[in-house]
Amino acid sequence: MSSISESIIWGATKLQPVSASATLDTEVLLCWILHKERSYLRTWPEKILSTSQISAFKNLLNQRADGIPIAYLTGQREFWSREFKVTPEVLIPRPDTELLIETSLNLLSKIPAPKILDLGTGSGVIAITLALELPYLQILAVDKSTAALNIAQENANIHICNNIEFQISSWFQSIATQKFDLIVSNPPYIAATDPHLQTGDLRFEPQTALIAGTTGLDDIKEIVSNSAQYLTCNGWLLIEHGCTQKSAVQTLFQQYGYQNIQTYQDLSLLPRVTVGQLI
Ligand code: GLN
């Protein structure tokens, strides 16, 4: 293995048993080492790699073969067309979560000077994306993990985003009494016994960001049951949830007095985000 094309064949073969996207993973890691776009690999397939490039590539490939997610190897992931820093202390941003952004933006377009709360901000992608799309927003983003808040703050700095305040808080616990026009969250929602937790990238992500009790609903319940006192009249609550949780989440919203409850589907046409308004 010494050229780009040989390296891709070697890498893809090695990743075949562990990844459904072996060639793509290999190319992304090679691009990361070479500091190039994927088109470069196509243009220069015969280019010979240096010894240090080969050894760095092999090192990353071996880690990927052990299952470590690509995003943790490159330390970044794209979300809403922007690059965000990620580490094993935070959940890897998913395309599914872009639905939370889209739904929030739709609701926010009708509210003048909105105040927003992002619960469990993690890498900060939700708060930062909203803040960049609508720079007049005032956002409070909380997380119970200091390590996560540090990453979120770094991401806010990278994107020169000054309209977010980050604060340590486990859900509402340390948030001073105040009202928000919109509360948004991508909380943990996987049941502790869900076999998916033993597969793929999930094995390497922070378990506290994924698991929510025996049904996966513990944190959603905590959020829905406490949001009312933090919402303005006509304020909105938006929660991402599992694709099998639509009716349980809608029932919780109803139980706590929400109206105009709607569930939206993600790109795979699975119910993924439920919203409700407190009137
Ligand atoms: N959507 C993620 C998954 O199923 C879970 C993220 C979360 O718990 N918020 O992989």
Side-chain angles (χ1 to χ4, degrees):
M1 184 233 306
S2 59
S3 70
I4 283 182
S5 60
E6 285 165 355
S7 303
I8 293 172
I9 292 166
W10 177 81
T13 310
K14 195 164 166 67
L15 294 186
Q16 209 69 57
V18 292
S19 171
S21 50
T23 303
L24 177 63
D25 290 5
T26 305
E27 292 184 358
V28 168
L29 292 176
L30 190 53
C31 288
W32 177 249
I33 300 290
L34 300 177
H35 308 290
K36 300 287 184 198
E37 301 291 321
R38 274 175 66 216
S39 56
Y40 181 89
L41 308 180
R42 301 275 171 276
T43 317
W44 305 104
E46 73 290 352
K47 191 172 165 51
I48 302 299
L49 302 179
S50 71
T51 319
S52 66
Q53 284 170 335
I54 290 174
S55 101
F57 175 61
K58 277 188 173 169
N59 175 28
L60 284 187
L61 234 293
N62 287 332
Q63 292 187 67
R64 180 65 188 131
D66 287 340
I68 301 183
I70 292 280
Y72 291 155
L73 294 175
T74 60
Q76 61 180 37
R77 175 52 47 96
E78 189 185 295
F79 182 81
W80 202 264
S81 303
R82 296 185 183 96
E83 286 296 339
F84 288 89
K85 176 177 168 157
V86 293
T87 69
E89 271 101 18
V90 295
L91 199 74
I92 300 166
R94 275 105 162 122
D96 298 345
T97 303
E98 294 187 338
L99 179 63
L100 260 188
I101 302 293
E102 205 180 303
T103 316
S104 300
L105 290 175
N106 275 339
L107 296 172
L108 289 168
S109 65
K110 295 165 199 120
I111 309 171
K115 242 182 107 175
I116 313 254
L117 173 62
D118 173 20
L119 290 169
T121 195
S123 60
V125 290
I126 297 170
I128 294 167
T129 303
L130 291 175
L132 292 170
E133 292 301 314
L134 302 175
Y136 57 87
L137 295 180
Q138 236 185 297
I139 305 184
L140 175 63
V142 303
D143 204 287
K144 69 174 178 185
S145 153
T146 316
L149 283 177
N150 288 338
I151 305 292
Q153 183 65 65
E154 255 188 78
N155 276 320
N157 296 346
I158 290 166
H159 290 289
I160 316 172
C161 184
N162 302 314
N163 49 336
I164 307 175
E165 185 193 332
F166 292 100
Q167 191 194 317
I168 188 120
S169 178
S170 176
W171 304 130
F172 294 98
Q173 221 167 64
S174 312
I175 303 177
T177 312
Q178 59 192 299
K179 301 277 187 190
F180 299 90
D181 299 288
L182 185 143
I183 298 176
V184 61
S185 184
N186 174 19
Y189 52 72
I190 300 179
T193 50
D194 191 323
H196 288 111
L197 291 165
Q198 315 312 328
T199 64
D201 289 2
L202 293 182
R203 293 169 295 165
F204 297 88
E205 293 185 285
Q207 301 293 288
T208 53
L210 293 169
I211 302 172
T214 49
T215 61
L217 287 165
D218 285 10
D219 294 287
I220 292 182
K221 190 164 184 191
E222 171 94 13
I223 293 169
V224 179
S225 63
N226 287 295
S227 284
Q229 49 188 311
Y230 290 90
L231 275 175
T232 54
C233 180
N234 296 327
W236 291 94
L237 174 62
L238 292 84
I239 298 188
E240 178 176 322
H241 52 75
C243 57
T244 59
Q245 293 170 330
K246 172 181 165 177
S247 77
V249 174
Q250 287 206 353
T251 304
L252 276 173
F253 271 64
Q254 278 155 10
Q255 201 179 326
Y256 287 92
Y258 285 84
Q259 296 183 40
N260 298 325
I261 300 167
Q262 277 199 63
T263 299
Y264 296 91
Q265 293 180 338
D266 64 19
L267 294 170
S268 319
L269 303 181
L270 297 168
R272 184 65 62 192
V273 167
T274 292
V275 313
Q277 188 175 30
L278 211 64
I279 295 186

